Amino acid sequence: MEPLRDSFGRTHSYLRVSVTDRCNFRCVYCMPEEGLDWMQRADLLSYEEITRLVGIFAGMGITSIRLTGGEPLVRKDLERLVAELGRIPGIDDLAMTTNAHRLAGCAQELADAGLKRINVSLDSLDPERFSALTRGGRLDKVLAGLEAAIAAGLGPIKINCVILEGENDVELYDLVEFFGARPEHFELRFIEYMPFQARWHTSLASAELRARLSAVYTLTSAGEGVGQGPARDWMIQENGLRIGFISPLSNNFCSSCNRLRLMANGHLRTCLSDDGTPSLRDVLRNGASDAELEAAIREMVTGKRKGHEALIDGGTPFEGVMTQVGG
Ligand code: SAM
Ligand code: SF4
C-alpha cells in the first residue's frame, strides 16, 4: 500500500469527517449568533458516499476516523454511519467530537454500533456562563450526556476546552477540580482559540495556562496520549488528572500534521486553514471509479499547504468557517 504522502513528506493516517455544518449551539468563538448559510441537503455527502470514500482512504493508510460537525448528533441516524464505518477493514479507531447536548439519549446506541471514544466540548461549569458561551446550551444536559457515555463504555472522555481571557478563564481551576475528581473517566485538553474569519477573541496561550496551573499544582510530563493527536500531555500530580495543551497558534504542529478533513459537502480540507479545497463529491457523483477517486485524493493531498500563518497576537486568520470544517 502506497501511503498518502504530501509534497512535504508528511504521511496521513487520520481523517476527520464532518457530517453536517449545522449545530444546536452557537458558541461565541465558533459561529455568529444568527447562524450561517447552511449547506443544502442535496450537497451533503450521503452516508453511503461517506462510507465509500472512507473505504478508499482506508486503502491508502487512514486508520483513524473522527466524526465531527457542526454537531454530529443533529444528523439523523448517525449510528447507521458508525456501524458502516466500523466494518471497514483498516479503520481501528472510530471516535466522535460532540457538544454532548443530545448524547444522553444515544450514547449506548452509538457504542453498540462501534463508536470507541468521544471528545466533548465543554468550556464552563457555571450554567449561566455555559448558556451564554454556547448561546442557549444547557449544562445539565451535557453533564447527563457525559454520564451516559461513561456508562456506555465510551470513556475515558477527552474534554475540549477553549479558554478565553475575560470570559471563562476564571474557571480554569474549577474545571481541573471537577474532572480531577474522576481522573479515570476524563482527560482535559485546552485548545487555543483559532481566529476563523478574523473573529478575534483573546485566547490564552498554552504557556500562560500552564503557568497558571503550575502556580497551584505540580505538573509532570505524561508522554503520549491515546489516539493520534497534537496534544502535549501532562499529569496533575495532586489528583492524577491527565491534561493536554493543543497549541495551534503558539506552537504549531504543521510540520508533523498527519490529518485530513472531509467536509460534509465533500470538500477535502487538506489543511485546516485552507478554504480553496477541491470537491471529492463532484468527482464521486461524476461516476468516478474507486481508482479514479484514489488518484484524485492523492493529487489533492500532494497540493496540501505547508501550514497556516496565524499567531496568538496576529498573523493571517484561518479561512472559512469552523463549523463547516469540524475542528
Ligand atoms: N460540535 C462539536 C463540538 O463542539 O465538539 C464538534 C464540532 S466543533 C467545531 C469541534 C471543536 O472545535 C470543539 O472542541 C470546539 O471547541 C472547537 N472550536 C470551535 N471553534 C473554534 C475556534 N475558533 N478555535 C479553537 N477551537 C474551536
Ligand atoms: Fe456547535 Fe461545536 Fe461550534 Fe459550538 S463548537 S457552535 S457546539 S460546532
Side-chain angles (χ1 to χ4, degrees):
M1 173 188 56
E2 179 67 19
L4 200 41
R5 195 174 281 120
D6 68 15
S7 59
F8 300 97
R10 296 171 292 197
T11 53
H12 297 81
S13 55
Y14 177 108
L15 179 69
R16 295 179 74 95
V17 177
S18 171
V19 295
T20 176
D21 60 333
R22 295 176 193 239
C23 187
N24 46 348
F25 285 6
R26 299 280 182 274
C27 298
V28 293
Y29 52 76
C30 181
M31 259 205 233
E33 189 157 17
E34 64 279 10
L36 295 161
D37 278 340
W38 309 117
M39 293 173 185
Q40 297 302 305
R41 189 75 191 81
D43 290 336
L44 299 188
L45 293 176
S46 67
Y47 286 166
E48 288 69 27
E49 289 172 328
I50 293 174
T51 303
R52 179 171 173 212
L53 287 173
V54 169
I56 294 167
F57 276 104
M60 290 185 280
I62 294 288
T63 56
S64 193
I65 298 289
R66 176 169 294 276
L67 300 175
T68 176
E71 171 50 40
L73 296 181
V74 304
R75 186 146 173 191
K76 263 176 63 184
D77 303 330
L78 192 69
E79 63 289 347
R80 191 160 64 78
L81 178 66
V82 168
E84 292 293 335
L85 298 183
R87 277 196 277 273
I88 295 175
I91 299 301
D92 52 31
D93 187 22
L94 184 50
M96 174 175 73
T97 299
T98 173
N99 64 31
H101 210 244
R102 297 189 177 177
L103 189 58
C106 58
Q108 189 63 57
E109 227 175 338
L110 289 165
D112 291 346
L115 191 69
K116 302 240 172 60
R117 301 184 295 120
I118 57 167
N119 288 13
V120 172
S121 307
L122 197 163
D123 305 312
S124 172
L125 292 165
D126 174 87
E128 277 175 31
R129 186 177 290 113
F130 184 86
S131 174
L133 282 172
T134 55
R135 299 201 184 94
R138 273 182 45 191
L139 180 65
D140 58 336
K141 294 188 73 169
V142 173
L143 296 180
L146 292 179
E147 294 309 322
I150 290 169
L154 291 170
I157 301 172
K158 289 184 182 166
I159 303 292
N160 287 351
C161 194
V162 178
I163 298 282
L164 301 172
E165 184 148 38
E167 300 191 45
N168 60 345
D169 54 337
V170 291
E171 292 195 51
L172 182 61
Y173 303 121
D174 294 343
L175 286 157
V176 168
E177 292 297 323
F178 183 80
F179 292 109
R182 295 160 80 199
E184 69 282 21
H185 293 312
F186 297 109
E187 289 180 35
L188 192 52
R189 294 143 34 104
F190 298 105
I191 307 177
E192 285 174 354
Y193 166 71
M194 289 176 269
F196 272 80
Q197 291 194 321
R199 258 199 303 276
W200 291 98
H201 289 267
T202 310
S203 183
L204 281 175
S206 297
E208 169 63 20
L209 287 176
R210 205 164 68 231
R212 291 190 191 185
L213 291 171
S214 298
V216 175
Y217 304 106
T218 308
L219 269 56
T220 51
S221 176
E224 295 295 309
V226 181
Q228 307 187 24
R232 291 166 174 92
D233 282 359
W234 299 79
M235 181 81 82
I236 298 209
Q237 284 305 305
E238 284 77 1
N239 57 20
L241 181 67
R242 198 173 179 113
I243 60 171
F245 297 97
I246 303 182
S247 321
L249 303 197
S250 68
N251 191 1
N252 88 45
F253 30 84
C254 300
S255 65
S256 60
C257 179
N258 68 347
R259 46 187 59 195
L260 298 168
R261 295 171 167 86
L262 182 62
M263 290 165 62
N265 61 4
H267 282 254
L268 185 69
R269 273 234 175 185
T270 50
C271 170
L272 179 59
S273 73
D274 184 0
D275 205 8
T277 60
S279 173
L280 275 172
R281 183 201 61 211
D282 293 347
V283 183
L284 188 150
R285 290 189 185 170
N286 283 336
S289 65
D290 284 5
E292 287 166 336
L293 278 164
E294 176 174 336
I297 292 168
R298 287 195 186 279
E299 192 184 328
M300 291 174 190
V301 173
T302 302
K304 174 166 169 156
R305 276 185 184 174
K306 189 171 182 195
H308 72 78
E309 291 172 353
L311 302 166
I312 272 287
D313 51 1
T316 313
F318 288 63
E319 296 167 4
V321 181
M322 180 60 126
T323 185
Q324 290 183 346
V325 187

